[in-house]
Amino acid sequence: MTKAMTHEMSCDLEKAFEGISSLDKDDIALRATSYWDASPLEAAKLLLPKSTEEVSRILAACNAAGQTVVVQGGRTGCAGGAVSAAADVVLSLEKMNAVEEIDEIGQTVTVQSGVVLEALQSQVAARDLFLPLDLGARGSCMIGGNIATNAGGVNVIRYGMMRNLVLGLEAVLPDGRVISSMKRMLKDNSGYDLKQLFIGAEGTLGVITRAILKLEPRVAAHETALVSVASYDAVLALLALGKKRLGASLTSFELMWGDYYRAVAKGLGVRPPIADGHPYYVLIEIEAGDETGGGAGVQTVADRLMALLETAMADDLVTDGVLAQSEQERREIWRIRDDFEPILREKPVYLYDVSMPVQNMQDYIHAVEKGLARFGGGAVLHVFGHIGDGNLHLFVHPGPSHAGDDARARLAAEECVYHPLRGVEGSISAEHGIGREKKRWLGVSRSAEEIAVMKALKRTFDPKNILNPGVVFDL
Ligand code: ZN
């Protein structure tokens, strides 16, 4: 018996899937496992439902048969939460990609979960509204995945994580029951807020099929500055000053360590907006509303950014700086923060997204560097972070002497990155989630009691453990 035959679906299941779009084995193998892993996707069957009713039918049948199901959206997740195995049924939401309604008065949008983030951003912008969620994978990640992982991104300091943007949600439980709370009010205290359970649960409690998201008025303009900073203390002082002076207009405060900045600029072959060689670079962005009605003498948000930078220069918090003079220049500044592809070129590279109080970050990074130095073999660390949100992204190259033993090198790097979090009130995941890759470290961020309650919830929602089994934790 060949391996493929081992994973043939039972006749009952095949029958239950009748009429639902699907891919057969050959076509499944044409897809990559994920953005991060180009090897062919594995699955016994890949289903492409077009409605909540079809999702419900698939799950009810799989639950009855004890068939495992892995849910997929844009497959850009960083923690392996959507990686399937040969025996799994893959349920891809990509055909549920309708923007059902944009409510300009209530400022909400009703979407199916397979809508690509960037497509939704532009449809909403065409109606003079703004979806605050934005992140590097915008061109392929899908709203359902954004909700399932409680995505963060670059505007969190101003608008919060995905959880803050979801007003209503529809999800299908592992047994096929549909839980619909497609409400569009800001306020609803009628009992447990069930939708919150599905947000950030990484598809382990149910399959998110539709949502109502909160929108904001269109942002009239952005003002973007890039500055270099000589010390971490000065970075903290600049953040405190920025929060005080800019208030709610501050949307991004992104810190790049000097090595990261140099490596990305060099790898992209671009002339960096400020010369490299400084210890830190900070990208500050504010949104400027329509201030034409302010009258003479009213300081615009853009003026306030300028004044902030002047104060920061005078106080020696900032050593050099540029203000983007055009959308083109703004994009060039963002590209160095956003496009870390050069850092991914050398393999292997391990990604981490930790969080902690911002005051603890420098000590933490020193502890990681110390660990990696002990680990030896020329390990290299690159760091940037949405530090306004207490979030750091770390990239570790284990170095040439660890070549050929990826599993050991990965574990050693994880120890260097995760152990020091215990001393700094940190979390092993700020925004990527736990997936399959971080579950052995869950105890660093969560108490035994918390994990026990999570497992009890999983057993209640999914007693047969068919849905994304092995994601977040093993039962
Ligand atoms: Zn991020």
Side-chain angles (χ1 to χ4, degrees):
M1 186 182 268
T2 66
K3 195 175 174 216
M5 285 173 71
T6 321
H7 300 301
E8 289 298 332
M9 298 275 87
S10 76
C11 292
D12 284 354
L13 272 180
E14 287 290 2
K15 220 167 161 189
F17 299 155
E18 255 170 39
I20 297 172
S21 297
S22 66
L23 295 185
D24 65 22
K25 274 224 161 313
D26 293 344
D27 289 329
I28 291 171
L30 295 177
R31 298 190 165 202
T33 296
S34 73
Y35 171 80
W36 307 98
D37 179 357
S39 59
L41 195 149
E42 289 193 288
K45 185 105 186 163
L46 191 150
L47 295 162
L48 301 157
K50 295 194 178 93
S51 66
T52 304
E53 184 274 325
E54 288 188 349
V55 173
S56 167
R57 190 142 58 91
I58 291 166
L59 288 174
C62 289
N63 191 53
Q67 168 64 51
T68 53
V69 178
V70 171
V71 193
Q72 293 185 348
R75 284 171 292 137
T76 55
C78 300
V83 173
S84 53
D88 295 324
V89 161
V90 165
L91 197 165
S92 172
L93 278 304
E94 68 201 61
K95 286 200 190 291
M96 289 187 63
N97 60 357
V99 176
E100 295 180 351
E101 187 191 353
I102 297 176
D103 172 358
E104 293 187 33
I105 296 170
Q107 298 196 331
T108 64
V109 60
T110 306
V111 287
Q112 295 184 330
S113 58
V115 176
V116 170
L117 173 59
E118 194 168 44
L120 182 58
Q121 288 171 334
S122 35
Q123 287 204 40
V124 160
R127 305 281 280 272
D128 253 1
L129 289 164
F130 172 62
L131 177 74
L133 181 72
D134 193 26
L135 48 100
R138 65 184 72 79
S140 32
C141 65
M142 294 175 190
I143 290 298
N146 296 146
I147 298 172
T149 57
N150 187 26
V154 296
N155 293 325
V156 174
I157 191 172
R158 166 82 170 88
Y159 296 103
M161 307 272 287
M162 192 64 189
R163 190 182 297 285
N164 299 70
L165 309 179
V166 179
L167 291 174
L169 196 75
E170 179 186 86
V172 184
L173 298 183
D175 64 7
R177 279 180 293 166
V178 178
I179 297 284
S180 182
S181 66
M182 291 291 280
K183 303 200 173 149
R184 55 180 83 196
M185 311 86 83
L186 220 42
K187 294 182 160 182
D188 177 13
N189 273 351
S190 53
Y192 295 179
D193 192 350
L194 294 179
K195 69 174 181 292
Q196 294 295 346
L197 285 174
F198 300 99
I199 305 172
E202 303 184 45
T204 57
L205 300 181
V207 177
I208 294 163
T209 42
R210 294 162 72 226
I212 298 176
L213 307 177
K214 198 161 65 167
L215 300 175
E216 297 287 338
R218 187 180 69 91
V219 174
H222 290 100
E223 296 285 335
T224 309
L226 179 73
V227 298
S228 56
V229 184
S231 72
Y232 191 75
D233 284 344
V235 172
L236 289 181
L238 182 64
L239 175 60
L241 190 68
K243 281 184 166 177
K244 262 186 222 152
R245 293 271 190 94
L246 303 170
S249 61
L250 178 64
T251 53
S252 302
F253 190 97
E254 305 273 311
L255 177 63
M256 294 169 268
W257 267 249
D259 293 343
Y260 172 91
Y261 183 86
R262 183 169 49 244
V264 172
K266 199 170 156 220
L268 293 174
V270 298
R271 206 169 69 91
I274 302 176
D276 68 29
H278 296 275
Y280 302 98
Y281 296 83
V282 178
L283 187 164
I284 303 172
E285 185 160 283
I286 60 168
E287 51 178 46
D290 183 358
E291 292 154 325
T292 46
V298 173
Q299 198 185 31
T300 65
V301 178
D303 291 339
R304 279 196 273 151
L305 178 60
M306 198 60 188
L308 169 84
L309 294 180
E310 279 165 8
T311 308
M313 284 272 189
D315 292 352
D316 287 333
L317 297 181
V318 159
T319 48
D320 199 356
V322 291
L323 260 175
Q325 300 298 327
S326 62
E327 184 58 26
Q328 170 73 14
E329 286 184 20
R330 175 180 174 236
R331 274 204 216 110
E332 282 164 14
I333 290 175
W334 266 108
R335 194 169 172 215
I336 295 196
R337 186 3 293 274
D338 244 4
D339 194 355
F340 45 74
E341 181 273 329
I343 289 178
L344 305 180
R345 279 179 208 157
E346 192 193 320
K347 305 274 193 260
V349 55
Y350 312 133
L351 270 68
Y352 305 100
D353 75 310
V354 297
S355 62
M356 70 205 70
V358 66
Q359 295 89 333
N360 298 344
M361 281 180 179
Q362 195 184 30
D363 289 347
Y364 167 75
I365 291 296
H366 285 158
V368 174
E369 283 169 343
K370 245 179 161 171
L372 289 173
R374 267 201 308 275
F375 170 47
V380 175
L381 175 68
H382 291 292
V383 188
F384 78 84
H386 321 292
I387 73 153
D389 326 324
N391 177 188
L392 291 179
H393 288 297
L394 281 67
F395 302 80
V396 174
H397 288 104
S401 72
H402 296 279
D405 195 355
D406 191 46
R408 236 193 88 240
R410 184 182 283 268
L411 183 60
E414 286 174 0
E415 277 167 4
C416 294
V417 170
Y418 293 139
H419 273 308
L421 288 171
R422 295 181 194 270
V424 295
E425 306 166 53
S427 169
I428 59 169
S429 177
E431 57 183 5
H432 292 167
I434 300 300
R436 294 170 201 284
E437 291 180 6
K438 293 178 212 159
K439 56 188 170 183
R440 66 184 299 155
W441 300 99
L442 191 58
V444 172
S445 299
R446 296 305 194 105
S447 68
E449 290 78 7
E450 284 179 297
I451 294 171
V453 173
M454 287 191 222
K455 288 185 176 180
L457 278 171
K458 170 69 173 169
R459 288 194 188 96
T460 302
F461 278 73
D462 186 12
K464 292 191 176 176
N465 197 23
I466 62 149
L467 192 58
N468 281 8
V471 170
V472 184
F473 42 66
D474 290 308
L475 276 185

